[in-house]
Amino acid sequence: MLRSLRFAALAGGLILSASALAVDVDAASYGYPLTNPFEATIATTPPDLRPELPLNEDINQSDHSLTLRPEREFILPDNFWPVKSLTYRMATQDKPAPLIFLIAGTGARYDSTLNEYLKRLYYKAGYHVVQLSSPTSFDFMSAASRFATPGITKEDAEDMYRVMQAVRAQNPKLPVTEYYLTGYSLGALDAAFVAHLDETRRSFNFKKVLLLNPPVNLYTSITNLDKLVQTEVKGINSSTTFYELVLNKLTRYFQQKGYIDLNDALLYDFQQSKQHLTNEQMAMLIGTSFRFSAADIAFTSDLINRRGLIIPPKFPITESTSLTPFLKRALQCDFDCYLTEQVIPMWRARTDGGSLLQLVDQVSLYALKDYLQASPKIAVMHNADDVILGPGDLGFLRKTFGDRLTVYPLGGHCGNLNYRVNSDAMLEFFRG
């Protein structure tokens, strides 16, 4: 449990509210410099405000593969060979240590930028670390998902749990003292359901679970992100696409710098330049990124299940087949379309399910309210300006988690996870 006095000492004198329902970090003393939630989401934290962490070459780590759905060998086209087995990354200490599982966000693989950052953070603190792909990533859907139709969070968590068990079985000699779990964005929602499943399966008996910027109402969050694609952006017309506009800005930016620098500080530095994106352009960029994730999910699910919604069921796909026409078709289907055309029909057929509203309740944190309220080992860190939150979401978190909820005033969606104050708080939660 995050106690106000301990957290205040850790954060160097941050002013916290006296509310008994949550730890509210005061904006004036927080110190995070980006007040625009879109900019924070895209650019994250200025490099000089991030913690000092080991480089990858200084970490004892390796990638491993699991064969969990061998039948996919005969279902997937030959050019899907890289994802017919599931890859995960493991970083290990040279002595007995706690192990922490990291679950990536929407559409993200195990080696996503945020998962890599969290790996380095927890490895430096002395943990074994296992990086896992999101159940919505194309590799997890292909190699680990039973139904290859993510969106039913309970079933996604069951698939994830089997992966975690397989990871442990594949590394029987790793000296683990206890197990921890965390995830960011959609991965945080998955982590909550995995923790709930573990209460009955007892394979790991997670000592602590941290949810970073989880969606509260999954449907609200995806609707918020889908709407960003509809933002009206100045400079876009019939002859200039959004992608051309951004590409032209990046080209001019690199010309002014005199060289191309594609490091993880690029977007923050870019936003400080004359070529910076406007609010509307940043909103469109976030929404477009999410739309591509939704397209990947819709395409992969349709391909594996042969539903014929995007790809004709008997259409031959080889290594030389252009997937561009199918990508264009998939991009026309947003996440709401994916839910309507693929998730709900499967859900109804398998469970005699009902309405969309019933499904929304089952796949969101609402479904676990009593468990989350009663479990002292689970905490949440969220941002008041997170673009995925809807009306009443923070209120639900406050009522459900009490002082196990920390609310930061700034950071957008996961933009402040690599800020030193947040990093210290994450480590303190698991140590406490």
Side-chain angles (χ1 to χ4, degrees), residues 380-397:
V380 175
M381 294 182 182
H382 226 305
N383 300 327
D385 64 347
D386 195 322
V387 297
I388 73 167
L389 292 176
D393 285 353
L394 273 180
F396 171 86
L397 293 175

Side-chain angles (χ1 to χ4, degrees), residues 41-257:
T41 300
I42 294 171
T44 73
T45 303
D48 59 343
L49 295 180
R50 302 175 189 179
E52 292 186 11
L53 299 176
L55 300 175
N56 271 325
E57 52 263 35
D58 298 323
I59 296 175
N60 181 28
Q61 61 182 335
S62 57
D63 290 356
H64 307 262
S65 294
L66 297 169
T67 301
L68 300 167
R69 313 300 310 175
E71 72 278 11
R72 298 278 161 80
E73 180 75 26
F74 308 100
I75 295 175
L76 290 167
D78 290 342
N79 55 340
F80 273 64
W81 65 266
V83 291
K84 291 182 180 180
S85 60
L86 183 69
T87 302
Y88 66 92
R89 182 165 293 167
M90 174 179 281
T92 58
Q93 306 289 335
D94 58 2
K95 58 185 178 181
L99 183 148
I100 185 167
F101 288 102
L102 312 178
I103 305 179
T106 307
R109 287 171 21 115
Y110 68 94
D111 55 356
S112 68
T113 300
L114 269 178
N115 252 12
E116 281 291 293
Y117 159 72
L118 292 172
K119 180 266 304 291
R120 294 165 61 209
L121 177 70
Y122 289 114
Y123 183 83
K124 181 181 180 181
Y127 296 83
H128 304 306
V129 184
V130 174
Q131 297 169 240
L132 300 171
S133 296
S134 166
T136 57
S137 65
F138 70 91
D139 57 325
F140 193 104
M141 292 173 64
S142 301
S145 174
R146 289 164 297 164
F147 308 111
T149 310
I152 312 297
T153 317
K154 182 176 181 291
E155 294 180 350
D156 295 342
E158 290 171 354
D159 290 335
M160 181 62 72
Y161 201 74
R162 275 187 284 272
V163 170
M164 292 177 175
Q165 290 174 314
V167 168
R168 185 173 61 181
Q170 197 174 57
N171 300 275
K173 295 183 179 180
L174 184 68
V176 178
T177 57
E178 53 201 9
Y179 291 93
Y180 296 89
L181 175 63
T182 189
Y184 67 88
S185 190
L186 184 62
L189 178 64
D190 293 323
F193 277 78
V194 167
H196 182 247
L197 180 63
D198 188 59
E199 296 294 346
T200 54
R201 301 282 178 89
R202 294 291 180 182
S203 286
F204 301 101
N205 293 305
F206 295 112
K207 185 175 181 181
K208 289 200 173 185
V209 180
L210 180 59
L211 314 182
L212 302 169
N213 295 76
V216 175
N217 181 322
L218 182 57
Y219 189 71
T220 296
S221 294
I222 63 177
T223 300
N224 287 355
L225 292 168
D226 272 334
K227 285 179 179 177
L228 295 180
V229 182
Q230 303 165 19
T231 305
E232 292 186 7
V233 178
K234 183 179 179 180
I236 296 178
N237 51 46
S238 59
S239 62
T240 303
T241 67
F242 172 69
Y243 309 101
E244 290 170 333
L245 184 147
V246 174
L247 181 60
N248 288 337
K249 281 178 171 285
L250 282 171
T251 300
R252 289 192 295 269
Y253 166 72
F254 286 128
Q255 285 176 341
Q256 291 164 5
K257 283 181 71 75

Side-chain angles (χ1 to χ4, degrees), residues 323-341:
L323 299 180
T324 301
F326 306 122
L327 175 61
K328 289 181 177 178
R329 191 177 302 175
L331 284 170
Q332 294 172 0
C333 184
D334 60 17
F335 212 102
D336 189 55
C337 163
Y338 166 69
L339 286 177
T340 302
E341 293 190 355

Side-chain angles (χ1 to χ4, degrees), residues 356-367:
L356 173 62
L357 289 177
Q358 289 175 312
L359 175 64
V360 169
D361 281 341
Q362 290 185 22
V363 303
S364 299
L365 286 182
Y366 302 141

